Amino acid sequence: MQIRNGFVETVGHTPLIRLRHLSEETGCEILAKAEFLNPGGSVKDRAARSIIQDAEEKGLLKPGGTVVEGTAGNTGIGLAHICLAKGYKCIIYMPNTQSKEKFDMLRILGAEVRPVPAVPFADPMNYNHQARRAAEEIENAIWANQFDNVANRQAHIDSTGPEIWEQTEGKIDVWTAATGTGGTLAGTAIYLKDKKPEMKVYLADPMGSSLYCHVKEGKLEREGNSITEGIGNGRITANVEGAPIDDAVRVTDTEALNIVYHLLHKEGLYVGGSTGINVGAAVKIARELGPGHTIVTILCDSGDRYKSRIFNPEWLASKGLLETLEQPYQDWLHAVSEQEG
Ligand code: PMP
């Protein structure tokens, strides 16, 4: 029988999609794992499941307990789903800069959402520190601690890596992904490099993140800014620590958004901004390495989570990004607005 037992068993086993146009254009096989098809809608379902299972196994979380986390959204959504499926309470601290769709979603999923100002990690009011302190004060509660809890990357050592290995039958030359916590990039890299040491791992980084410079020059320095959500970091998390990363590629918002619109327009795939960074990186790597390589990345979440932002011409214009879209994509947006008219 092919039945999965509830939400928890439905996480993972996502299809690996060949991006037809970009593969043909570059002469490389550009393959992307459809993580938006996870039951909670993003790659973070895997980390959420793994973190909760790990806490249960260690006896840190008992029936009726509470899961507390600081999250830019997708981890919270994954945790909230799994908390419902397992009977836990869920409290989420989230920077108030995140999209309205994510806040609404978490509330619908029964999480108690506590919006907090977006301040750096060094500030004690940062959402992560607030989540940790709250968990310490509640009985039978855990702080999921997705950034430094390596049960996060373990999810990808146990599931994403093996799935990609099987789906490509080991025919993979490059693995690339952007990092928020780094769990996806690092865990998948650890598994795949163990199977095939000669394959290469590239960090995909948005502007405003310090990791590109860290991989290239060994120093944590940032430059510019990005409208992408859930990715980029100013420090080396425990999940990234020691991961086999060979090189890094930086992708601008303009490049990422044109990829997002390309995927919608030409492939019928509706994805969020971090996917634009991932696929943008895959295309740059393909051009750098030349034809004949197989490059794998992930489609992190659905565009539905960003309707009011990257699919909204007024919002794009307010960020100076509307006019940086290629003309057919601007025309697409105008046609959408006229229909709404
Ligand atoms: N894309 C999106 C939309 C995300 O929310 C996240 C997680 N914050 C990532 C990518 C990166 O995943 P990870 O935390 O495993 O690095």
Side-chain angles (χ1 to χ4, degrees), residues 221-294:
E221 262 174 34
R222 50 175 297 198
E223 202 188 314
N225 264 308
S226 174
I227 53 97
T228 56
E229 294 179 34
I231 55 169
N233 209 328
R235 69 182 182 98
I236 306 298
T237 62
N239 280 294
V240 170
E241 190 76 56
I245 300 171
D246 297 291
D247 209 339
V249 178
R250 192 143 66 175
V251 181
T252 65
D253 284 347
T254 294
E255 290 166 335
L257 285 173
N258 277 295
I259 292 277
V260 165
Y261 276 89
H262 162 86
L263 292 173
L264 179 62
H265 206 216
K266 289 282 201 284
E267 299 283 356
L269 291 165
Y270 181 39
V271 294
S274 68
T275 294
I277 301 285
N278 282 357
V279 176
V283 170
K284 286 187 171 186
I285 296 162
R287 297 216 165 102
E288 186 185 306
L289 298 182
H293 296 91
T294 299

Side-chain angles (χ1 to χ4, degrees), residues 42-44 47 71-75 98 102 146-147 152 156 177-186 229-232 240 272-275 278 298-302 305-306:
S42 89
V43 65
K44 299 301 302 203
T71 162
N74 280 325
T75 302
Q98 299 299 299
K102 290 196 223 172
Q146 57 165 330
F147 286 92
N152 169 358
H156 301 281
T179 68
T181 64
T184 309
L185 177 77
E229 294 179 34
I231 55 169
V240 170
S274 68
T275 294
N278 282 357
I298 63 162
L299 309 174
C300 311
D301 64 358
S302 160
R305 262 168 209 178
Y306 311 92

